Amino acid sequence: MNAVVKLATTEAEREAIYRLRYAVYIEEMNGASRHSEADVTRRQLHDEWDAHSYHFYVTESRRPAACARLTLRRDGPFE
């Protein structure tokens, strides 16, 4: 299988990425105590940096299997 990296451009894509993060960081890595920003009701992990970031993902069986976030200084409230 050839993996294709995609840029998330819709809210649905970003929400799928947030659910993947939740599954990995909260459930698999038992990170609830380290991630107070986790939304346990919606089972999503996102924070204030997400609004200023580019989100990339790879799918497997039409679901995100891996993701990465790129945050550039020019796009956010950074020093």
Side-chain angles (χ1 to χ4, degrees):
M1 174 180 126
N2 291 331
V4 176
V5 177
K6 300 177 183 179
L7 173 64
T9 59
T10 68
E11 188 62 27
E13 289 172 312
R14 286 186 289 277
E15 287 184 359
I17 290 168
Y18 303 155
R19 285 190 296 275
L20 176 60
R21 283 193 207 159
Y22 187 93
V24 172
Y25 290 106
I26 303 304
E27 295 173 345
E28 292 179 21
M29 298 176 68
N30 297 314
S33 64
R34 293 183 304 275
H35 296 283
S36 60
E37 68 277 13
D39 183 338
V40 295
T41 303
R42 296 178 69 193
R43 300 174 55 84
Q44 295 182 359
L45 178 58
H46 56 89
D47 60 30
E48 68 276 3
W49 298 96
D50 288 318
H52 305 284
S53 301
Y54 297 91
H55 301 274
F56 299 91
Y57 67 100
V58 175
T59 59
E60 181 177 282
S61 301
R62 299 184 188 170
R63 295 176 54 203
C67 62
R69 172 173 72 176
L70 174 64
T71 309
L72 303 174
R73 269 177 85 172
R74 69 173 186 223
D75 295 328
F78 312 112
E79 295 181 10

